[in-house]
Amino acid sequence: MSRTIPLLPVLLCCTLTLAAQPAGKSASAYDPNALFQPLFYTQYGNEYRSGSGEPGPAYWQNRADYQITASLDDQSDRIKGSLVVTYTNHSPHTLPFLWFQLDQNLFNPESRGFARTPATGRSRYGDSRSLFKGGFTVSQVRLLSKADGKAVETALEPLITDTRMQLRLEKPLKPKGDVVRIRIDFEYTVPEYGADRTGILKTRDGNIYAIAQWYPRLCVFDDIQGWNVSPYLGPSEFYLEYGDFDVAITAPASHIVVASGELQNPAEVLTPTQLSRWKAAKESPSTIAIRSKEDVNDPASRPAKPTLTWKFKIQQARDFAFASSKAFVWDAARIDLPSGRKAMAQSAYPAGTASRDAWGRSTEYVKASIEINSRWYEYPYPCAVNVASNVGGMEYPGIVFCGNNARGGSLWGVTDHEFGHTWFPMIVGSNERKYGWMDEGFNTFINGIASEAFNNGEYAPEPMDGHMIARFMFSDLSESILKTPDALKEMNIGTALYFKPGYALDLLRKQIVGKDRFDYAFQKYIRDWAYKHPSPWDFFRSMENGTGEDLGWFWKGMFLENWRLDQAVTKVEYPNGNAANGALVTLENLEKMAMPVVIEYTTKSGKTARKTLPVEIWQNAALWKVRLDTDEELSSVVVDPDKAFPDYNPSNNTWK
């Protein structure tokens, strides 16, 4: 989901030789035993999740493969579909029942999420002025099996509770490899404003349907909690199993359909001209129009049939989404990946936004975002499609929905953010229902790096003032990162889930462990947990092992708690009253958080030097005296001169 808050670079301070000595106690709110507690990890590693942050030797994960046929009626705005899901139980547990997510039931007036919509005003996840009443109709559920070599269908009675559906099996799934196949027939009406995740954009040339959370999806059964059945309330997103998708979508023949997967039957759904352009675009480094804005209102630009069925496939994905419209301009270009493999960048948008300062550059942005971010882990899918919609920004495997009105830098920002989600959580499949920061914050972090790299810094962010941003990151109204998205105040979602964790990772990379060690550990974390389900503790352990640092103090202060940083310089002395003996500078840590300290000092003759102190100086005291090598009196001492750290009270950072 998009919150386009750019992550700005922080200057890396040089490290100088340490020469310091501890001093006595100080009156402050700081408790080193609370921050540097030895039992940060309350559980040891096990056979499923190792102490090193890697999946353990007995790690397991269940799998869900989908075959779906569906149709879109653009007169009634109705989706009707049938799916066959093949579910494999790799766990060591017997499963007597299965749980499914029915996210469209968010719009059922009896749902918990519907009840959370504000009674007055407007929310990102619902609008009290136009409460849409919808939800799934599940017409039948069948267990598919074989007996005596013949196909057998057995009716199952679904138990639907809010946005969840339980199927109780007469024959429980056995551990370690047992498989069940289930068919579900369903339909629903597409909401015009679907909690900023799915919707219908009305344009002069026709409606644009952004279709997501549109079929019953298996809940995750894992080694941490068993079945993850938290209801869908709107703010929190998803937690899904991986599998392969084979999807057929029937839509009016006047429509163009784009989707998560690779188009399997282009010759059946495109005109000869479009097919030729489609093939050329797959090999072109620059954007080629498959259906131009001049074609949109030309009946000859689509086959003369009532409906067409578009077929798509995608492998090792956790979800599937699509978009459909007769208003689409459609263009594409080749993506070049590090291994030499190719993929296809695509954009679908209305003719009114086709200018170069708007969606005319979308495919350029898609291509660049995928190529730049593949430095972390190669983009796995055959296509990457950007769709202009009334959804501000939302991500699914191989396809994203972005705001129709986005322009220039804002379109680059939302495009890169939504495709950045390919890595978190499409590849690294964290639990967004509980830990929204593990996808939004990580993504915000890599977005800052991508924006620096795009087109020689065309949209590079300005340097960040850590002192200024600390005022809102740690205000009295702020909340900790490690809160479930549903429990956060809506005004804090952008800070707690996006900006603050993104800033924290940037701080860790540039100021605490260094880019080389950070990047190595971060890439290893992605490789280790690709297409798996890491917890926050897996991430913490992985980064500590990869960087060679004990970072419990950092995770606790910045992620688990919402502790402020206030580091001050309070006194300058000269041993025996003689500046020729050097200077003793007294530092104090006045709040609950601690960080390394960078000191810049200037002598009366104008010489300037720096000294960097590690965070370990605060392990047993709130006050520290550091000796500076100088042979003359000082005119000033400044703590954190680059404003790199989130110091909440910079007024005490300078001595003169």
Side-chain angles (χ1 to χ4, degrees):
M1 172 62 71
S2 171
R3 288 269 181 168
T4 312
I5 306 172
L7 181 63
L8 306 176
V10 184
L11 297 177
L12 180 63
C13 303
C14 61
T15 303
L16 304 179
T17 305
L18 172 66
Q21 62 183 38
K25 292 184 179 180
S26 170
S28 82
Y30 180 63
D31 178 2
N33 294 320
L35 187 62
F36 290 95
Q37 56 179 286
L39 294 178
F40 174 73
Y41 294 106
T42 59
Q43 295 181 343
Y44 298 114
N46 56 45
E47 61 183 340
Y48 303 133
R49 297 169 188 270
S50 69
S52 66
E54 300 167 319
Y59 177 84
W60 56 265
Q61 190 170 301
N62 292 349
R63 180 180 178 89
D65 297 292
Y66 295 87
Q67 292 178 294
I68 309 175
T69 59
S71 62
L72 167 65
D73 184 337
D74 65 350
Q75 300 303 304
S76 63
D77 299 336
R78 195 94 174 144
I79 295 282
K80 187 173 184 179
S82 179
L83 67 83
V84 174
V85 59
T86 302
Y87 184 69
T88 306
N89 178 23
H90 291 297
S91 82
H93 305 283
T94 297
L95 302 182
F97 53 80
L98 307 178
W99 280 102
F100 286 76
Q101 302 179 41
L102 302 180
D103 290 346
Q104 286 300 317
N105 282 2
L106 174 70
F107 305 105
N108 186 313
E110 302 301 318
S111 77
R112 301 178 196 186
F114 198 95
R116 280 170 49 107
T117 302
T120 59
R122 187 179 181 89
S123 163
R124 183 182 179 194
Y125 309 105
D127 185 350
S128 63
R129 294 170 294 177
S130 58
L131 285 173
F132 172 79
K133 296 178 176 60
F136 277 119
T137 297
V138 177
S139 55
Q140 66 174 350
V141 180
R142 295 285 189 271
L143 176 68
L144 306 182
S145 59
K146 287 186 177 181
D148 299 327
K150 296 181 180 180
V152 177
E153 294 191 8
T154 306
L156 293 176
E157 188 64 33
L159 177 65
I160 296 175
T161 307
D162 196 59
T163 58
R164 289 87 40 99
M165 177 175 72
Q166 186 187 52
L167 299 181
R168 297 171 182 172
L169 306 174
E170 290 186 8
K171 183 181 178 183
L173 268 179
K174 297 177 183 178
K176 298 184 178 180
D178 202 4
V179 176
V180 66
R181 295 178 71 242
I182 292 171
R183 193 183 83 216
I184 303 173
D185 297 336
F186 63 94
E187 57 184 298
Y188 74 98
T189 300
V190 181
E192 184 175 353
Y193 300 102
D196 209 19
R197 310 207 189 280
T198 179
I200 306 172
L201 174 67
K202 297 179 179 179
T203 79
R204 68 186 184 189
D205 297 318
N207 291 345
I208 293 176
Y209 294 85
I211 306 299
Q213 291 109 264
W214 59 282
Y215 60 94
R217 304 180 292 180
L218 257 300
C219 294
V220 172
F221 182 81
D222 63 22
D223 62 286
I224 298 174
Q225 187 173 323
W227 285 107
N228 287 260
V229 291
S230 299
Y232 177 43
L233 302 175
S236 63
E237 293 184 341
F238 316 112
Y239 188 33
L240 299 163
E241 294 288 17
Y242 290 93
D244 297 341
F245 288 79
D246 186 342
V247 181
I249 300 163
T250 300
S254 59
H255 283 216
I256 294 291
V257 179
V258 290
S260 289
E262 184 174 26
L263 181 61
Q264 301 296 298
N265 61 334
E268 296 176 15
V269 295
L270 303 179
T271 65
T273 298
Q274 290 167 352
L275 180 61
S276 175
R277 294 171 179 173
W278 184 79
K279 290 178 178 178
K282 292 184 73 173
E283 304 300 328
S284 173
S286 57
T287 302
I288 289 180
I290 302 171
R291 188 185 192 224
S292 69
K293 63 180 181 180
E294 290 77 20
D295 294 335
V296 169
N297 290 308
D298 181 0
S301 74
R302 298 299 300 129
K305 297 181 179 180
T307 63
L308 289 170
T309 298
W310 299 65
K311 298 177 182 179
F312 300 92
K313 287 185 179 180
I314 189 170
Q315 295 180 323
Q316 196 69 328
R318 55 175 236 158
D319 201 0
F320 189 99
F322 70 95
S324 182
S325 180
K326 64 182 181 181
F328 276 152
V329 173
W330 184 24
D331 59 37
R334 185 188 74 222
I335 298 171
D336 298 307
L337 298 169
S339 69
R341 189 171 60 86
K342 310 299 180 186
M344 191 175 186
Q346 303 176 41
S347 298
Y349 49 92
T353 66
S355 64
R356 282 287 297 167
D357 67 340
W359 280 78
R361 290 188 71 184
S362 170
T363 292
E364 175 193 351
Y365 295 158
V366 174
K367 173 181 168 68
S369 177
I370 298 299
E371 291 176 350
I372 293 168
N373 287 310
S374 286
R375 61 161 290 185
W376 300 109
Y377 186 99
E378 185 165 295
Y379 184 78
Y381 303 123
C383 302
V385 189
N386 197 10
V387 178
S389 69
N390 64 346
V391 178
M394 192 61 208
E395 71 281 355
Y396 301 94
I399 189 170
V400 303
F401 305 148
C402 293
N404 176 60
N405 295 322
R407 299 287 187 274
S410 67
L411 181 57
W412 157 257
V414 69
T415 299
D416 182 55
H417 181 85
E418 302 313 331
F419 276 113
H421 277 302
T422 300
W423 287 265
F424 311 102
M426 304 305 164
I427 293 173
V428 182
S430 56
N431 186 347
E432 298 175 275
R433 287 281 165 89
K434 290 180 177 288
Y435 311 114
W437 59 273
M438 290 187 74
D439 68 292
E440 299 296 358
F442 290 12
N443 191 20
T444 301
F445 164 68
I446 66 172
N447 293 158
I449 296 172
S451 290
E452 291 174 358
F454 173 68
N455 200 25
N456 296 315
E458 179 180 357
Y459 300 127
E462 295 296 323
M464 185 183 300
D465 184 333
H467 299 173
M468 180 183 70
I469 65 172
R471 304 298 294 178
F472 72 84
M473 281 200 302
F474 301 97
S475 75
D476 291 339
L477 298 176
S478 65
E479 299 176 83
S480 71
I481 291 171
L482 202 72
K483 288 189 72 172
T484 176
D486 290 322
L488 282 165
K489 296 180 179 64
E490 187 173 345
M491 67 177 183
N492 288 332
I493 286 176
T495 300
L497 299 187
Y498 295 69
F499 186 83
K500 187 177 174 184
Y503 166 80
L505 293 182
D506 199 64
L507 185 70
L508 186 63
R509 180 178 187 248
K510 294 179 178 177
Q511 306 298 335
I512 298 171
V513 301
K515 293 181 181 180
D516 181 75
R517 283 196 293 162
F518 181 97
D519 290 0
Y520 175 81
F522 198 59
Q523 286 174 311
K524 185 178 186 303
Y525 165 72
I526 297 172
R527 291 195 307 270
D528 287 345
W529 289 98
Y531 312 108
K532 297 181 177 69
H533 298 312
S535 73
W537 311 107
D538 297 318
F539 171 68
F540 296 155
R541 293 177 193 267
S542 182
M543 292 301 293
E544 290 185 12
N545 278 265
T547 61
E549 295 286 344
D550 182 349
L551 296 169
W553 62 273
F554 186 80
W555 311 130
K556 183 171 178 61
M558 288 292 289
F559 287 79
L560 275 66
E561 307 291 348
N562 194 36
W563 287 347
R564 292 173 178 169
L565 175 71
D566 183 11
Q567 300 186 141
V569 52
T570 57
K571 186 187 294 186
V572 173
E573 305 169 273
Y574 303 103
N576 300 320
N578 186 350
N581 297 324
L584 283 177
V585 175
T586 300
L587 305 174
E588 294 193 52
N589 203 51
L590 302 173
E591 284 285 356
K592 293 183 177 181
M593 187 56 183
M595 288 284 172
V597 182
V598 178
I599 300 172
E600 183 175 89
Y601 56 100
T602 304
T603 68
K604 285 193 172 181
S605 66
K607 298 176 184 177
T608 299
R610 286 189 176 190
K611 184 179 286 291
T612 299
L613 307 174
V615 73
E616 284 81 4
I617 67 172
W618 305 118
Q619 280 186 323
N620 60 7
L623 185 148
W624 191 264
K625 287 192 175 183
V626 58
R627 182 183 294 274
L628 301 180
D629 295 325
T630 177
D631 57 4
E632 60 175 309
E633 291 186 8
L634 303 181
S635 62
S636 69
V637 178
V638 180
V639 170
D640 190 17
D642 297 323
K643 301 180 182 179
F645 294 96
D647 197 310
Y648 189 81
N649 179 26
S651 65
N652 55 23
N653 284 31
T654 302
W655 173 92
K656 290 188 176 181

